[in-house]
Amino acid sequence: MGNATSLSELIQEIGRSALNLEDIAAHPALHRYVQEQSQSLIRIYEETPRLASIFATQQRWLMAHVGLSMHFRRDPNDRRKELTVSRFTEVVHKNAVASRNTADAFIKEMLHYNIAEYVAGGDGRTHPLQPTAATIERFTGWVTAHLRTLDHIDGGDRLGRYLERPDMLATLQPLIADGLLASKPVREPNQTFSLFIWLNNGGIVMDWLMSGIDPDHAGQERIPTSVVSIGDFAKWLKLSRTHLGRKLRTAEELGSIGWLGQRGHSVMWVSHGFYEEYMTVQAAKLAVVDNAFKACFPPPQGGD
């Protein structure tokens, strides 16, 4: 009986332990799972490109997480904790995500495109804000995509448990935001990844490149993608062909991408190093999500 109790305690302890970056990165099928995740995020972009623009660069993506976390942590009975333009700009600046001016411009853009809206009461910079229902719905898609990937990795049931308690988003998202802001691999990625995160829709550029890779080719030094035409790629992304081409050329000079034939008119490849950079950041994000999930949905205590 003593042995049975010890085994039960061990299983519970394993259940309480969130996956870390190393656990996730070492999974042999990680690419297949992240590829599915990337395709889910690409669908969100295709369905609502304007809304998806809040994730267009890493800076905007982090500001969006900050804004959502402030919304979910608000206290309607304490005006000092409401999400306002002035509080948002201060929190963004304090966390070294962006300057106050950039944060101010971002939140005004969110209001202009009905991604965020004013709530009743207040005026000017003290007027409380909130994300629209459509924004929260689309962000939920981001959360479920990552929970599904984590379930694939260890056979868990995070997504099912979350869907039973979707109200837990209000607790889960702020913890995810905290984790992302504190994650060095997410905020200080390696050279080529950094190059793209400052490009408009840079995250989608990388998702598209990586989602078109055959997992069986992931071990090659030059990994073929599904991209052939820069022009078509830029058109789909609603980016300037010149601007995208400039970024791709810089990445090419770093040895991170190239073409199997004529530049811009043949299959594009990505280097194994660039691929590893991308997967490391994905693993880091997944680890953040899992830590947040375990804090919100702890396993039941006690055992047989």
Side-chain angles (χ1 to χ4, degrees), residues 212-226:
I213 288 174
D214 183 335
D216 292 334
H217 297 160
Q220 298 179 13
E221 282 304 309
R222 294 181 173 183
I223 308 169
T225 71
S226 61

Side-chain angles (χ1 to χ4, degrees), residues 70-87:
M70 293 178 69
H71 164 70
F72 287 128
R73 282 174 166 155
R74 74 196 186 286
D75 180 354
N77 298 316
D78 186 348
R79 293 294 296 273
R80 295 170 300 175
K81 295 183 179 180
E82 290 280 11
L83 170 59
T84 63
V85 172
S86 59
R87 285 198 67 231

Side-chain angles (χ1 to χ4, degrees), residues 41 54-55 57-73 83 88 91-92 95 97 106-107 110 131 135 138-140 142-143 146 169-170 172-182 186 285 288-289 292:
L41 300 179
I54 64 175
F55 298 115
T57 66
Q58 176 153 301
Q59 185 183 64
R60 291 167 65 85
W61 176 70
L62 286 172
M63 285 194 289
H65 274 287
V66 168
L68 284 168
S69 68
M70 293 178 69
H71 164 70
F72 287 128
R73 282 174 166 155
L83 170 59
F88 175 77
V91 173
V92 166
N95 284 281
V97 175
F106 174 80
I107 202 73
M110 298 303 100
T135 300
R138 287 302 174 187
F139 179 75
T140 299
W142 185 92
V143 171
H146 287 76
L169 179 66
L172 178 63
Q173 189 281 328
L175 295 177
I176 292 174
D178 291 345
L180 294 173
L181 290 171
V186 170
K285 287 194 296 182
V288 166
V289 173

Side-chain angles (χ1 to χ4, degrees), residues 190-197 206 251 254 256-257 271 274 277:
N190 289 334
Q191 193 171 23
T192 308
F193 196 97
S194 296
L195 172 69
F196 281 100
I197 61 176
M206 289 186 285
L254 293 171
S256 299
I257 68 165
S271 70
F274 182 20
E277 287 180 32

